[in-house]
Amino acid sequence: MADKTLLVPELSDTETMGPEAARFEELLLQASKELQQAQTPRPESTPIQPQPGFCIKNNTSQGKIFINICHSPCIPPPADMTEDELLHVLEEDQAGFRIPMSLGEPHAELDAKGQGCTAYDVAVNSNFYRRMQNSDFLRELVITVAREGLEDKYGLQLNPEWRILKNRPFLGSISQQNIRNQQRPRIQELGNLPTLGSQAAEGLEKPHLNLWLEAPDLLLAEIDLPRLDGAMGLSLELGENRLVLGGSQKLYHLDACIPLRVNVDQSKAAFHRKRKQLMVAMPLLSVPS
């Protein structure tokens, strides 16, 4: 395991450091800036015209709504894995699998009886949509994710009961949507990692962990710690393929496997106070093929 001195109190510290340490401090700052920019709406976008797929009827306390599940080749596909692999990932951590989708704006329509209603267009990748057509499991998963996404984005409270309309691929009209252009092709998100043991330390929360591969020789990590205001009471230990977070703060514990071999001695970490995240820069011992 690495010396716990790799953990520094704040991302904005300006202590005197050598050229190698300064490089990784700069990379941490750059990674933080890129992460913040990724959450800010960008003017650079591409218009797409989703193609119809199928339509779901649902209800809220305000009345009927319809969700047009559409598709477009411009939407990136989710990670390619079998249904068995996907089931395993979802059992371990539901946040470990993401389905990229575009959630359109609500638009007023008339239903089959001429009554007013609201429709939403949700688009996924076209190849993934075709695969979904042959899988009840994937179709229900997409519907669940789409419903949750609409609830979060528009503050809806959808009735848990829904049904797919027969012989009606969409309701109303499907509007053009704008999707953000990808601007970080050199960074690959590795997602959530398997943890050692099925449970975190008793009574402690397992924080959310994401890894970003900075080609060709650097791995960046972000660990969400929303209940902390700083690095006080945190300890971070690294092995060549293991990351352990703990300490006297008695709130969080994480013991995760790292899929790449990292240089423990040159790794650096810093706590980002505003985002309440621990950022970790880990140089690689070998470059992934």
Side-chain angles (χ1 to χ4, degrees), residues 117-212:
C117 62
T118 303
Y120 298 84
D121 305 330
V122 176
V124 298
N125 175 265
S126 292
N127 289 333
F128 181 68
Y129 176 81
R130 285 188 282 272
R131 180 184 171 194
M132 179 181 66
Q133 285 182 300
N134 300 316
S135 170
D136 292 339
F137 168 69
L138 290 179
R139 183 163 52 250
E140 291 207 15
L141 178 61
V142 167
I143 292 172
T144 298
V145 174
R147 282 163 38 87
E148 291 176 351
L150 291 173
E151 285 181 327
D152 290 341
K153 184 173 182 179
Y154 296 112
L156 302 176
Q157 290 186 338
L158 299 178
N159 190 307
E161 296 183 359
W162 50 267
R163 67 182 180 90
I164 298 177
L165 299 184
K166 293 182 179 180
N167 303 319
R168 187 158 192 175
F170 63 95
L171 182 91
S173 60
I174 298 177
S175 302
Q176 188 178 82
Q177 297 184 19
N178 291 316
I179 60 172
R180 297 177 188 173
N181 294 326
Q182 297 294 322
Q183 297 187 1
R184 290 186 296 170
R186 63 193 181 89
I187 295 179
Q188 175 187 357
E189 183 179 0
L190 300 181
N192 298 310
L193 300 177
T195 55
L196 301 178
S198 59
Q199 299 292 334
E202 184 176 356
L204 302 182
E205 180 180 344
K206 183 182 76 173
H208 182 74
L209 167 66
N210 270 335
L211 280 184
W212 304 86

Side-chain angles (χ1 to χ4, degrees), residues 9-156:
E10 295 185 33
L11 191 62
S12 58
D13 282 350
T14 55
E15 299 174 358
T16 303
M17 55 182 71
E20 292 185 357
R23 175 179 177 245
F24 292 111
E25 181 74 5
E26 180 181 354
L27 287 167
L28 281 170
L29 289 167
Q30 178 183 350
S32 174
K33 183 177 180 181
E34 288 181 342
L35 288 169
Q36 290 175 333
Q37 290 175 343
Q39 295 181 348
T40 303
R42 296 178 180 136
E44 298 84 1
S45 61
T46 299
I48 65 169
Q49 180 58 58
Q51 299 302 307
F54 59 89
C55 183
I56 302 162
K57 181 180 179 181
N58 211 160
N59 289 282
T60 69
S61 58
Q62 284 76 38
K64 288 184 292 188
I65 73 159
F66 295 84
I67 304 173
N68 296 320
I69 301 294
C70 314
H71 60 92
S72 168
C74 299
I75 305 290
D80 186 16
M81 59 179 69
T82 66
E83 288 191 17
D84 288 341
E85 292 171 335
L86 178 54
L87 277 169
H88 178 72
V89 170
L90 295 176
E91 288 173 356
E92 292 291 327
D93 185 353
Q94 293 186 2
F97 183 77
R98 299 178 181 177
I99 302 177
M101 57 178 58
S102 177
L103 306 176
E105 298 290 330
H107 46 99
E109 301 290 351
L110 296 176
D111 65 11
K113 297 180 180 179
Q115 298 176 339
C117 62
T118 303
Y120 298 84
D121 305 330
V122 176
V124 298
N125 175 265
S126 292
N127 289 333
F128 181 68
Y129 176 81
R130 285 188 282 272
R131 180 184 171 194
M132 179 181 66
Q133 285 182 300
N134 300 316
S135 170
D136 292 339
F137 168 69
L138 290 179
R139 183 163 52 250
E140 291 207 15
L141 178 61
V142 167
I143 292 172
T144 298
V145 174
R147 282 163 38 87
E148 291 176 351
L150 291 173
E151 285 181 327
D152 290 341
K153 184 173 182 179
Y154 296 112
L156 302 176

